[in-house]
Amino acid sequence: MVENTGGIEALLQEDRTFPPPEEFMRNANIKDPNVYEEARKDPEAFWARFASELDWFQPWDQVLDWQPPYAKWFVGGKLNASYNCVDRHVKNGRRNKAAIIWEGEPGDWKVYTYWDLQREVCRFANGLKSLGVQKGDRVTIYLPMVPELPISMLACARIGAAHSVIFGGFSADSIRDRIDDSQSKVMITADGGYRRGGIVPLKQNADESLEGETPVEKVVVVRRTGSADDKMVAGRDVWWHDLVEDQPPTCEPEPMDSEDMLYMLYTSGTTGKPKGIVHTTGGYMTGTYATSKWIFDLKEDDVYWCTADIGWVTGHSYIVYGPLANGATSVMYEGSPDYPDRDRFWAIVEKYGCTICYTAPTAIRTFMRWGEEYPNRHDMSTLRLLGSVGEPINPEAWVWYWQHIGGGRCPVVDTWWQTETGSILIAPLPGITTLKPGSATQPFPGIEAEILDESGNPVGPGGGGYLTIKRPWPSMLRGIYGDPERFVQQYWSRYPDTYFTSDGAKLDEEGYYWLLGRVDDVINVSAHRISTMEVESALVDNSKVAEAACIGRAHEIKGQAIVAFVTIKDQVPTSDGLITELKAHVATKIGPMARPDDIYFAAELPKTRSGKIMRRLLRDVAEGRALGDTTTLADPAVVESLKAQYGDEE
Ligand code: PRX
């Protein structure tokens, strides 16, 4: 029933187990397995305890108001996210503790103490106000991994404006769509960012995205590379350094309602149009604070490094809000892992003495292929905990990570969650859980997950089906910006009052969760979430293309690779040149991460009699498998001819 997106059988044959190492267990923040039972008995009290560890300007009157599918958490409470991430640590003895340790790709680096961060956030918040940004406005942020990125986010949060961060790899068209949807009046960008020795031309993309009609009135530009000094648009663009120069280093935090929007973040769904996922203040802060503290076992002297880009939700929750709400030291790196050499990550671990490292399976598989020689060059004995996120991790990569990065002494926490969930929902508690490589293990305390079959019955131990979440949780999405119907239809219409994740999962006999990948038309390429529809729309946007169908096929390093089957218009000759052109077209329309790996020309696409493209059969062709059930095909000859051209003859 649930489609297998590759490697699952291997996953489920895994029987190695890794109990928490003695010393880790002894020192862990959470040692008592009863936390699960306590949270199960009274989840609201469980979450309220975490919420009360944050600073509130006004206490809440009600923990949860649940009118399915609409949840309100900490109703009536008022707080400010930037105050919780910055000011309270300045007040409570962490003034001179490193909040952010940042390293640029060229090797420049900078440490921001909590006090530094407070002053920078306030200056920029005042700068935003001087540009007319008010509570309730949206601000688009399109920045590389520079300190101004978290500073901008926290400055928006401080004055009550919602940020909409766009990953630096997106193209002008993608930025334009997101700006139009969010109706941002202000955009923050940089002249460029460093990546693999080159410069990513962010300002150029930003300028293109603003051509013609746009709601954006002002653009703040960070000077990072010096590559766009002559490109400033008079009356619209202002340099970051000029904007903050005369601003005072204090700015009163805006008391925000617990349910006021903190930010929106676009993610791909099953249609061509990205969804602006809305997160609010009190619940999101509670969820990211709690999971950071328990899953990463954060201690006062940890140096915590999440290698994600802040352009994705992992960076929002686990570089910025979660670690900073805990008063932790969060490391941020601008560039690529192989610049100037393939040991860059490990050089960073050694240089700053990182104790926790949180990365994606695709990166781990890449490191595995490069070989142990690179981590072996460095002293990584400070590491004590490792994390994985973004896609299923194959046991081989898990064990390699444990052995060669963690030196066989660090628990590996595989964390399952989504942009929509705001914080981690399924993951081990490293001082308690016995790990199984490839399994995200158990729902976090207070989270009630259930795997359901097609008709909504729990599958029980040994069964597989759709992963759902039964009870509301604090950091859950509150909606899709501007599209309330899609919110209900996408997440709440499959099963009554139950959140539908779109992920397949299996439960083993001991109740461990094994995530199997998406069951919808979303593909996961190097832990980047890409909709097949988006890539298809980008392809048919090219005048030579009549029709396109995309699928994800299993890929050794990336998890999944994008394969496009394209029907071109009559009279257009097919050639390798056309393949290159179409790949480039997709990269221009969406961004380089959506560039298809393979493009196959097809005289016709396999469709059902009602005209629906049968992607499952295309996947069979691309992965060289025997074809599945073809009885619903309108014209069986279509897929046979495709298979003869591209499939492995079996
Ligand atoms: O399919 C799941 C996969 O990534 C999807 C969510 O993508 P996104 O919203 O971009 O968030 C990524 C970072 C949280 C999920 O629907 N996924 C994420 N983490 C895991 C995972 N699949 C398996 N195991 C994981 N640990």
Side-chain angles (χ1 to χ4, degrees):
M1 174 201 52
V2 172
E3 284 192 63
N4 181 333
T5 50
I8 293 146
E9 295 317 317
L11 269 181
L12 294 171
Q13 277 154 22
E14 181 56 48
D15 51 14
R16 282 168 287 187
T17 55
F18 294 76
E22 270 296 318
E23 197 196 332
F24 194 98
M25 194 155 38
R26 229 183 359 261
N27 299 321
N29 284 347
I30 302 304
K31 310 181 181 63
D32 180 1
N34 284 325
V35 290
Y36 286 99
E37 184 53 21
E38 281 165 25
R40 199 191 58 75
K41 276 196 212 133
D42 193 349
E44 289 181 30
F46 172 79
W47 290 116
R49 270 198 301 281
F50 282 110
S52 63
E53 291 175 24
L54 299 173
D55 273 18
W56 294 75
F57 300 136
Q58 184 176 302
W60 59 87
D61 332 293
Q62 191 187 352
V63 174
L64 171 65
D65 173 9
W66 176 225
Q67 317 279 340
Y70 307 103
K72 290 185 183 149
W73 282 88
F74 313 112
V75 185
K78 288 197 191 300
L79 77 168
N80 183 285
S82 116
Y83 184 91
N84 273 285
C85 288
V86 184
D87 302 52
R88 69 187 187 123
H89 308 307
V90 173
K91 287 191 176 139
N92 299 337
R94 295 188 180 117
R95 191 170 64 148
N96 292 319
K97 175 174 177 176
I100 293 174
I101 297 178
W102 171 81
E103 181 160 304
E105 193 184 73
D108 43 341
W109 60 286
K110 207 166 168 182
V111 178
Y112 289 75
T113 65
Y114 273 96
W115 195 17
D116 294 330
L117 189 61
Q118 184 184 43
R119 289 177 292 201
E120 296 300 328
V121 167
C122 288
R123 280 203 187 94
F124 190 62
N126 289 324
L128 286 175
K129 279 187 178 172
S130 76
L131 296 179
V133 178
Q134 293 177 345
K135 180 174 177 177
D137 287 349
R138 276 85 49 219
V139 172
T140 288
I141 304 177
Y142 178 65
L143 282 174
M145 285 286 284
V146 291
E148 288 82 356
L149 173 48
I151 291 169
S152 307
M153 294 160 73
L154 293 166
C156 287
R158 193 163 195 94
I159 63 174
H163 53 76
S164 164
V165 179
I166 302 176
F167 172 59
F170 278 113
S171 68
D173 281 356
S174 298
I175 306 167
R176 186 198 310 271
D177 292 345
R178 286 158 175 76
I179 287 176
D180 285 348
D181 190 73
S182 66
Q183 289 290 302
S184 299
K185 281 189 291 194
V186 168
M187 178 178 191
I188 303 161
T189 189
D191 51 1
Y194 291 103
R195 183 88 200 165
R196 204 162 276 141
I199 292 177
V200 183
L202 292 168
K203 177 72 163 65
Q204 192 185 316
N205 296 343
D207 284 345
E208 270 174 47
S209 79
L210 300 175
E211 277 166 16
E213 282 272 307
T214 178
V216 170
E217 292 160 12
K218 292 283 177 193
V219 179
V220 183
V221 187
V222 174
R223 192 167 188 279
R224 169 72 186 130
T225 56
S227 55
D229 286 1
D230 54 348
K231 302 277 164 32
M232 296 294 276
V233 176
R236 186 195 73 183
D237 296 356
V238 44
W239 286 111
W240 174 293
H241 53 264
D242 289 337
L243 182 69
V244 298
E245 197 179 5
D246 295 322
Q247 297 296 345
T250 56
C251 170
E252 274 304 300
E254 191 68 39
M256 301 298 285
D257 190 275
S258 179
E259 282 300 326
D260 277 339
M261 174 156 70
L262 174 60
Y263 71 79
M264 56 206 287
L265 181 60
Y266 287 89
T267 189
S268 295
T270 46
T271 70
K273 190 175 175 294
K275 312 177 275 195
I277 301 300
V278 172
H279 284 294
T280 58
T281 312
Y284 177 81
M285 289 306 295
T286 303
T288 54
Y289 168 75
T291 49
S292 299
K293 185 171 180 175
W294 281 26
I295 297 166
F296 297 117
D297 190 47
L298 282 176
K299 303 273 173 41
E300 203 51 54
D301 57 356
D302 272 317
V303 177
Y304 161 92
W305 182 25
C306 166
T307 72
D309 192 295
I310 296 178
W312 308 106
V313 76
T314 304
H316 280 60
S317 299
Y318 297 108
I319 295 177
V320 184
Y321 290 109
L324 298 182
N326 278 280
T329 297
S330 185
V331 175
M332 212 183 138
Y333 168 58
E334 176 187 34
S336 100
D338 56 354
Y339 187 85
D341 203 351
R342 292 171 166 181
D343 65 340
R344 184 61 182 272
F345 273 22
W346 321 125
I348 291 175
V349 167
E350 179 172 7
K351 180 170 176 188
Y352 303 107
C354 297
T355 56
I356 302 170
C357 178
Y358 187 32
T359 195
T362 184
I364 299 166
R365 290 190 292 262
T366 305
F367 299 142
M368 221 171 126
R369 179 142 95 182
W370 291 345
E372 292 119 62
E373 171 204 340
Y374 298 100
N376 288 350
R377 285 183 191 172
H378 297 278
D379 175 2
M380 302 206 289
S381 58
T382 49
L383 284 173
R384 65 179 193 91
L385 180 65
L386 302 174
S388 169
V389 59
E391 45 173 330
I393 180 163
N394 45 314
E396 196 194 353
W398 193 105
V399 172
W400 188 89
Y401 192 34
W402 178 83
Q403 183 65 52
H404 296 289
I405 305 303
R409 71 182 178 273
C410 309
V412 175
V413 291
D414 175 11
T415 62
W416 178 90
W417 58 298
Q418 306 176 305
T419 305
E420 290 88 340
T421 69
S423 60
I424 298 166
L425 297 194
I426 304 184
L429 291 179
I432 296 177
T433 316
T434 290
L435 307 172
K436 298 187 186 183
S439 166
T441 73
Q442 304 285 336
F444 191 75
I447 300 297
E448 199 180 328
E450 201 155 50
I451 302 177
L452 301 178
D453 67 14
E454 207 74 53
S455 7
N457 303 309
V459 297
Y466 301 113
L467 178 67
T468 68
I469 313 293
K470 283 190 74 178
R471 288 183 46 86
W473 66 100
S475 64
M476 65 199 275
L477 80 164
R478 299 300 194 270
I480 295 175
Y481 192 75
D483 202 345
E485 274 164 41
R486 194 170 170 198
F487 169 68
V488 175
Q489 196 269 330
Q490 174 74 43
Y491 305 108
W492 304 97
S493 58
R494 187 79 163 239
Y495 303 113
D497 303 347
T498 296
Y499 173 79
F500 182 69
T501 64
S502 298
D503 271 16
K506 278 210 171 193
L507 205 58
D508 72 15
E509 298 296 339
E510 291 177 274
Y512 276 58
Y513 286 70
W514 299 78
L515 277 304
L516 307 179
R518 305 281 302 197
V519 296
D520 56 6
D521 293 325
V522 168
I523 43 189
N524 194 327
V525 184
S526 301
H528 293 164
R529 187 166 152 180
I530 294 166
S531 143
T532 51
M533 289 329 177
E534 268 173 275
V535 181
E536 287 162 10
S537 321
L539 283 166
V540 296
D541 176 82
N542 183 293
S543 59
K544 294 173 186 154
V545 174
E547 202 173 18
C550 292
I551 50 125
R553 77 161 154 79
H555 186 279
E556 203 190 331
I557 302 289
K558 303 182 193 186
Q560 286 187 292
I562 304 176
V563 180
F565 291 82
V566 171
T567 322
I568 48 177
K569 290 185 183 154
D570 291 348
Q571 268 89 48
V572 178
T574 58
S575 65
D576 287 350
L578 182 56
I579 291 179
T580 311
E581 177 187 332
L582 295 179
K583 287 184 180 178
H585 190 78
V586 175
T588 312
K589 293 300 286 183
I590 305 175
M593 68 280 180
R595 183 194 302 268
D597 290 79
D598 305 310
I599 291 187
Y600 294 151
F601 295 118
E604 265 182 274
L605 297 174
K607 291 185 185 157
T608 60
R609 274 165 226 118
S610 59
K612 195 167 179 282
I613 293 172
M614 294 186 71
R615 289 200 176 75
R616 177 173 56 78
L617 293 180
L618 292 176
R619 244 186 324 259
D620 290 342
V621 171
E623 292 179 350
R625 262 195 308 273
L627 295 181
D629 183 5
T630 54
T631 48
T632 50
L633 263 180
D635 178 2
V638 169
V639 59
E640 283 309 328
S641 93
L642 272 179
K643 196 165 155 53
Q645 280 179 78
Y646 302 112
D648 279 345
E649 257 76 306
E650 286 165 278

PDB file of all heavy atoms in Angstrom, residues 220-237:
ATOM      1  N   VAL A 220      17.422  46.018   2.027  1.00  0.00           N
ATOM      2  CA  VAL A 220      18.619  46.210   2.846  1.00  0.00           C
ATOM      3  C   VAL A 220      19.675  45.229   2.333  1.00  0.00           C
ATOM      4  O   VAL A 220      19.386  44.046   2.155  1.00  0.00           O
ATOM      5  CB  VAL A 220      18.329  45.915   4.334  1.00  0.00           C
ATOM      6  CG1 VAL A 220      19.575  46.192   5.179  1.00  0.00           C
ATOM      7  CG2 VAL A 220      17.151  46.741   4.837  1.00  0.00           C
ATOM      8  N   VAL A 221      20.877  45.734   2.082  1.00  0.00           N
ATOM      9  CA  VAL A 221      21.903  44.891   1.476  1.00  0.00           C
ATOM     10  C   VAL A 221      23.111  44.753   2.404  1.00  0.00           C
ATOM     11  O   VAL A 221      23.718  45.750   2.803  1.00  0.00           O
ATOM     12  CB  VAL A 221      22.364  45.476   0.119  1.00  0.00           C
ATOM     13  CG1 VAL A 221      23.313  44.507  -0.587  1.00  0.00           C
ATOM     14  CG2 VAL A 221      21.170  45.800  -0.773  1.00  0.00           C
ATOM     15  N   VAL A 222      23.445  43.510   2.735  1.00  0.00           N
ATOM     16  CA  VAL A 222      24.640  43.231   3.527  1.00  0.00           C
ATOM     17  C   VAL A 222      25.830  43.209   2.570  1.00  0.00           C
ATOM     18  O   VAL A 222      25.775  42.565   1.519  1.00  0.00           O
ATOM     19  CB  VAL A 222      24.520  41.857   4.226  1.00  0.00           C
ATOM     20  CG1 VAL A 222      25.819  41.490   4.948  1.00  0.00           C
ATOM     21  CG2 VAL A 222      23.339  41.836   5.186  1.00  0.00           C
ATOM     22  N   ARG A 223      26.906  43.887   2.942  1.00  0.00           N
ATOM     23  CA  ARG A 223      28.086  43.866   2.083  1.00  0.00           C
ATOM     24  C   ARG A 223      28.982  42.714   2.516  1.00  0.00           C
ATOM     25  O   ARG A 223      29.685  42.807   3.510  1.00  0.00           O
ATOM     26  CB  ARG A 223      28.846  45.183   2.180  1.00  0.00           C
ATOM     27  CG  ARG A 223      29.892  45.334   1.138  1.00  0.00           C
ATOM     28  CD  ARG A 223      30.390  46.782   1.088  1.00  0.00           C
ATOM     29  NE  ARG A 223      31.266  46.998  -0.045  1.00  0.00           N
ATOM     30  CZ  ARG A 223      32.553  46.668  -0.035  1.00  0.00           C
ATOM     31  NH1 ARG A 223      33.094  46.131   1.018  1.00  0.00           N
ATOM     32  NH2 ARG A 223      33.298  46.897  -1.117  1.00  0.00           N
ATOM     33  N   ARG A 224      28.902  41.611   1.778  1.00  0.00           N
ATOM     34  CA  ARG A 224      29.668  40.423   2.142  1.00  0.00           C
ATOM     35  C   ARG A 224      30.850  40.204   1.209  1.00  0.00           C
ATOM     36  O   ARG A 224      31.932  39.870   1.647  1.00  0.00           O
ATOM     37  CB  ARG A 224      28.723  39.198   2.124  1.00  0.00           C
ATOM     38  CG  ARG A 224      29.397  37.838   2.224  1.00  0.00           C
ATOM     39  CD  ARG A 224      29.940  37.572   3.613  1.00  0.00           C
ATOM     40  NE  ARG A 224      30.703  36.324   3.691  1.00  0.00           N
ATOM     41  CZ  ARG A 224      31.923  36.233   4.218  1.00  0.00           C
ATOM     42  NH1 ARG A 224      32.522  37.290   4.713  1.00  0.00           N
ATOM     43  NH2 ARG A 224      32.546  35.072   4.262  1.00  0.00           N
ATOM     44  N   THR A 225      30.630  40.385  -0.095  1.00  0.00           N
ATOM     45  CA  THR A 225      31.666  40.016  -1.064  1.00  0.00           C
ATOM     46  C   THR A 225      32.225  41.227  -1.811  1.00  0.00           C
ATOM     47  O   THR A 225      33.211  41.088  -2.533  1.00  0.00           O
ATOM     48  CB  THR A 225      31.081  39.043  -2.117  1.00  0.00           C
ATOM     49  OG1 THR A 225      29.934  39.675  -2.716  1.00  0.00           O
ATOM     50  CG2 THR A 225      30.648  37.734  -1.483  1.00  0.00           C
ATOM     51  N   GLY A 226      31.566  42.368  -1.680  1.00  0.00           N
ATOM     52  CA  GLY A 226      32.009  43.551  -2.429  1.00  0.00           C
ATOM     53  C   GLY A 226      31.726  43.409  -3.920  1.00  0.00           C
ATOM     54  O   GLY A 226      32.337  44.076  -4.748  1.00  0.00           O
ATOM     55  N   SER A 227      30.792  42.535  -4.275  1.00  0.00           N
ATOM     56  CA  SER A 227      30.587  42.234  -5.694  1.00  0.00           C
ATOM     57  C   SER A 227      29.427  43.004  -6.328  1.00  0.00           C
ATOM     58  O   SER A 227      29.102  42.768  -7.484  1.00  0.00           O
ATOM     59  CB  SER A 227      30.354  40.730  -5.862  1.00  0.00           C
ATOM     60  OG  SER A 227      29.286  40.322  -5.026  1.00  0.00           O
ATOM     61  N   ALA A 228      28.791  43.899  -5.554  1.00  0.00           N
ATOM     62  CA  ALA A 228      27.662  44.619  -6.169  1.00  0.00           C
ATOM     63  C   ALA A 228      27.650  46.080  -5.753  1.00  0.00           C
ATOM     64  O   ALA A 228      26.609  46.707  -5.682  1.00  0.00           O
ATOM     65  CB  ALA A 228      26.345  43.926  -5.796  1.00  0.00           C
ATOM     66  N   ASP A 229      28.857  46.622  -5.509  1.00  0.00           N
ATOM     67  CA  ASP A 229      28.922  48.006  -5.028  1.00  0.00           C
ATOM     68  C   ASP A 229      28.301  49.001  -6.007  1.00  0.00           C
ATOM     69  O   ASP A 229      27.806  50.040  -5.609  1.00  0.00           O
ATOM     70  CB  ASP A 229      30.375  48.400  -4.734  1.00  0.00           C
ATOM     71  CG  ASP A 229      30.886  47.738  -3.457  1.00  0.00           C
ATOM     72  OD1 ASP A 229      30.107  46.980  -2.835  1.00  0.00           O
ATOM     73  OD2 ASP A 229      32.058  47.962  -3.096  1.00  0.00           O
ATOM     74  N   ASP A 230      28.328  48.648  -7.283  1.00  0.00           N
ATOM     75  CA  ASP A 230      27.768  49.575  -8.283  1.00  0.00           C
ATOM     76  C   ASP A 230      26.329  49.210  -8.652  1.00  0.00           C
ATOM     77  O   ASP A 230      25.784  49.721  -9.614  1.00  0.00           O
ATOM     78  CB  ASP A 230      28.652  49.559  -9.540  1.00  0.00           C
ATOM     79  CG  ASP A 230      28.846  48.139 -10.064  1.00  0.00           C
ATOM     80  OD1 ASP A 230      28.504  47.169  -9.334  1.00  0.00           O
ATOM     81  OD2 ASP A 230      29.325  47.981 -11.206  1.00  0.00           O
ATOM     82  N   LYS A 231      25.725  48.294  -7.899  1.00  0.00           N
ATOM     83  CA  LYS A 231      24.387  47.820  -8.280  1.00  0.00           C
ATOM     84  C   LYS A 231      23.291  48.329  -7.340  1.00  0.00           C
ATOM     85  O   LYS A 231      22.159  47.875  -7.417  1.00  0.00           O
ATOM     86  CB  LYS A 231      24.347  46.278  -8.280  1.00  0.00           C
ATOM     87  CG  LYS A 231      25.353  45.627  -9.190  1.00  0.00           C
ATOM     88  CD  LYS A 231      24.826  45.585 -10.603  1.00  0.00           C
ATOM     89  CE  LYS A 231      25.861  45.307 -11.684  1.00  0.00           C
ATOM     90  NZ  LYS A 231      26.969  44.465 -11.370  1.00  0.00           N
ATOM     91  N   MET A 232      23.632  49.229  -6.435  1.00  0.00           N
ATOM     92  CA  MET A 232      22.631  49.712  -5.492  1.00  0.00           C
ATOM     93  C   MET A 232      21.622  50.596  -6.228  1.00  0.00           C
ATOM     94  O   MET A 232      21.997  51.465  -7.013  1.00  0.00           O
ATOM     95  CB  MET A 232      23.300  50.497  -4.360  1.00  0.00           C
ATOM     96  CG  MET A 232      24.245  49.667  -3.495  1.00  0.00           C
ATOM     97  SD  MET A 232      23.410  48.384  -2.553  1.00  0.00           S
ATOM     98  CE  MET A 232      22.876  49.332  -1.122  1.00  0.00           C
ATOM     99  N   VAL A 233      20.357  50.338  -5.977  1.00  0.00           N
ATOM    100  CA  VAL A 233      19.298  51.090  -6.658  1.00  0.00           C
ATOM    101  C   VAL A 233      18.915  52.286  -5.785  1.00  0.00           C
ATOM    102  O   VAL A 233      18.469  52.105  -4.647  1.00  0.00           O
ATOM    103  CB  VAL A 233      18.068  50.192  -6.916  1.00  0.00           C
ATOM    104  CG1 VAL A 233      16.923  50.985  -7.542  1.00  0.00           C
ATOM    105  CG2 VAL A 233      18.457  49.003  -7.791  1.00  0.00           C
ATOM    106  N   ALA A 234      19.103  53.488  -6.336  1.00  0.00           N
ATOM    107  CA  ALA A 234      18.852  54.704  -5.549  1.00  0.00           C
ATOM    108  C   ALA A 234      17.394  54.771  -5.104  1.00  0.00           C
ATOM    109  O   ALA A 234      16.484  54.456  -5.868  1.00  0.00           O
ATOM    110  CB  ALA A 234      19.203  55.932  -6.390  1.00  0.00           C
ATOM    111  N   GLY A 235      17.205  55.132  -3.846  1.00  0.00           N
ATOM    112  CA  GLY A 235      15.842  55.277  -3.323  1.00  0.00           C
ATOM    113  C   GLY A 235      15.244  53.978  -2.819  1.00  0.00           C
ATOM    114  O   GLY A 235      14.294  53.977  -2.051  1.00  0.00           O
ATOM    115  N   ARG A 236      15.780  52.832  -3.266  1.00  0.00           N
ATOM    116  CA  ARG A 236      15.240  51.538  -2.839  1.00  0.00           C
ATOM    117  C   ARG A 236      16.224  50.797  -1.932  1.00  0.00           C
ATOM    118  O   ARG A 236      15.849  50.257  -0.905  1.00  0.00           O
ATOM    119  CB  ARG A 236      14.937  50.679  -4.073  1.00  0.00           C
ATOM    120  CG  ARG A 236      14.227  49.371  -3.753  1.00  0.00           C
ATOM    121  CD  ARG A 236      14.269  48.372  -4.912  1.00  0.00           C
ATOM    122  NE  ARG A 236      15.604  47.788  -5.069  1.00  0.00           N
ATOM    123  CZ  ARG A 236      15.950  46.935  -6.034  1.00  0.00           C
ATOM    124  NH1 ARG A 236      15.061  46.580  -6.949  1.00  0.00           N
ATOM    125  NH2 ARG A 236      17.181  46.453  -6.101  1.00  0.00           N
ATOM    126  N   ASP A 237      17.488  50.784  -2.317  1.00  0.00           N
ATOM    127  CA  ASP A 237      18.466  49.951  -1.613  1.00  0.00           C
ATOM    128  C   ASP A 237      19.203  50.741  -0.543  1.00  0.00           C
ATOM    129  O   ASP A 237      19.574  51.895  -0.754  1.00  0.00           O
ATOM    130  CB  ASP A 237      19.499  49.397  -2.601  1.00  0.00           C
ATOM    131  CG  ASP A 237      18.885  48.459  -3.624  1.00  0.00           C
ATOM    132  OD1 ASP A 237      17.670  48.173  -3.515  1.00  0.00           O
ATOM    133  OD2 ASP A 237      19.613  48.026  -4.536  1.00  0.00           O
TER     134      ASP A 237
END
